[in-house]
Amino acid sequence: MTPTEGTLAVTRRHHPPTERTGVVVTSPQPPTDPVAGARLFPLSGQLARVVADASLNPAGVTVRDLSGRYGDQQIAVNGALRPKAASVIKLWILVELLRRVDCGQVSLDDGVLVTPADVVGGTGQLQFETFPQVVTLHRLAQYLIKYSDNIAANVLITYLGGFAPVNALIDSMNQRSTILARRMLDSAAALRGEENYTSPDDVVSLLGAVWDGEILTPASRDLMIGFMREQTLNTKIPAALPPGVPVAHKTGDLPDASHDVGYYLIPGSETAVAFLTAGPMDTGDETVRRMARTVYDFLVTPAGGAYEE
């Protein structure tokens, strides 16, 4: 894939805006070791069988080796599937916030006034607190992922300047299936056809860029993955794996969508994964668990993976 150049506007406190030009993050990247990369291909067939069995749930999965064990290879089954993003879209909101921290534009110690008008239901912990109150950007960012907090998501969208900056980040990474078009729990917008979408390929493009340090500094990368390790909604990827397997992940749930995406942090076999489904949530949950276990079993077998239990 031929690199292309893009321009990013950078603003910092007490400094005039500047523009920086560089190579656009274009993913997937080719494997650095094609022989090692070929060892990941049998996983495609195993996942294809799980996807084919999910008769009620169109499903897509993308998997990228991050460890080098498989030559940085990426494989996918229906990687371009484009369901509603649900709360997986919150990953892009977080990356845009942390990008601004890295540029020196904001500090996570800064506070944002959250008012009663910002309160929505669904997932999250802020809805149980008393408002108005000033909440730090650090807590908003943490709750956005740890509790999939809808209030935090909506407040951060406003703080960042609306949908446009997040979508500009998405566009700069050539993630053409992803869009942020409505706030969390905005049923009126949903009825107007304004919806958030993504794909397994786009999710892994983002996760890979974060892991490789292409979009965030090491400190922000580690903070983001740390928030994902604190995830409290653990009925999908973690539930499918043996207890104690290290993962960092982000779920997404709607009545007609079930997702879980993130990182398997198995030493020596670190892997980015995106399991997305459309259709009924209950059966989608089970499809996600089956895909998650299929990847894990492949990684830990002596022929394909890093270690045995």
Side-chain angles (χ1 to χ4, degrees):
M1 185 176 293
T2 303
T4 58
E5 287 195 342
T7 301
L8 178 69
V10 178
T11 59
R12 294 180 294 173
R13 291 176 177 175
H14 313 303
H15 291 78
T18 60
E19 290 189 346
R20 296 181 181 176
T21 300
V23 175
V24 174
V25 177
T26 53
S27 298
Q29 300 291 343
T32 56
D33 182 346
V35 175
R39 294 177 54 236
L40 194 61
F41 293 156
L43 178 59
S44 299
Q46 296 175 22
L47 289 167
R49 288 190 286 274
V50 176
V51 170
D53 287 343
S55 58
L56 297 178
N57 296 95
V61 50
T62 301
V63 178
R64 179 186 294 185
D65 170 44
L66 302 173
S67 66
R69 174 171 292 272
Y70 299 99
D72 302 316
Q73 181 63 271
Q74 177 170 315
I75 57 99
V77 178
N78 293 343
L81 180 78
R82 193 173 187 252
K84 295 175 183 177
S87 287
V88 170
I89 200 69
K90 293 169 182 172
L91 290 174
W92 279 272
I93 298 171
L94 177 60
V95 169
E96 174 59 15
L97 175 66
L98 294 179
R99 188 190 66 78
R100 295 190 189 190
V101 172
D102 292 341
C103 290
Q105 183 178 355
V106 303
S107 166
L108 290 178
D109 293 329
D110 293 344
V112 180
L113 179 64
V114 180
T115 72
D118 295 313
V119 176
V120 294
T123 53
Q125 292 298 304
L126 287 174
Q127 62 185 298
F128 304 114
E129 300 186 15
T130 301
F131 298 98
Q133 66 163 295
V134 174
V135 182
T136 65
L137 288 175
H138 184 280
R139 189 153 77 101
L140 289 171
Q142 180 184 33
Y143 280 27
L144 178 74
I145 305 301
K146 181 175 182 177
Y147 302 112
S148 197
D149 199 290
N150 290 322
I151 296 174
N154 290 346
V155 169
L156 286 172
I157 289 170
T158 300
Y159 180 82
L160 293 170
F163 305 145
V166 178
N167 287 325
L169 169 69
I170 293 166
D171 289 344
S172 76
M173 301 180 74
N174 286 343
Q175 294 157 353
R176 301 307 182 196
S177 296
T178 302
I179 187 169
L180 174 64
R182 68 165 177 85
R183 297 172 186 272
M184 306 303 113
L185 292 185
D186 188 343
S187 56
L191 288 173
R192 293 192 299 268
E194 299 163 8
E195 189 54 78
N196 306 323
Y197 292 98
T198 193
S199 70
D201 284 350
D202 278 6
V203 171
V204 167
S205 170
L206 180 72
L207 295 175
V210 168
W211 182 271
D212 291 339
E214 295 173 332
I215 197 70
L216 295 177
T217 63
S220 288
R221 165 196 179 273
D222 292 346
L223 185 66
M224 175 172 169
I225 294 173
F227 290 158
M228 295 173 72
R229 293 194 72 163
E230 295 178 347
Q231 168 74 246
T232 58
L233 306 175
N234 293 315
T235 60
K236 289 183 245 188
I237 290 177
L241 310 186
V245 175
V247 297
H249 68 115
K250 180 71 196 78
T251 56
D253 293 293
L254 288 170
D256 56 353
S258 175
H259 317 314
D260 208 352
V261 309
Y263 302 102
Y264 286 27
L265 298 173
I266 301 168
S269 286
E270 293 84 359
T271 307
V273 297
F275 309 116
L276 273 57
T277 73
M281 185 170 62
D282 289 346
T283 51
D285 288 355
E286 180 58 28
T287 297
V288 169
R289 285 190 288 268
R290 288 190 62 200
M291 292 190 290
R293 184 65 191 223
T294 298
V295 172
Y296 172 80
D297 287 344
F298 184 88
L299 293 176
V300 301
T301 55
Y307 67 90
E308 295 181 76
E309 294 180 89

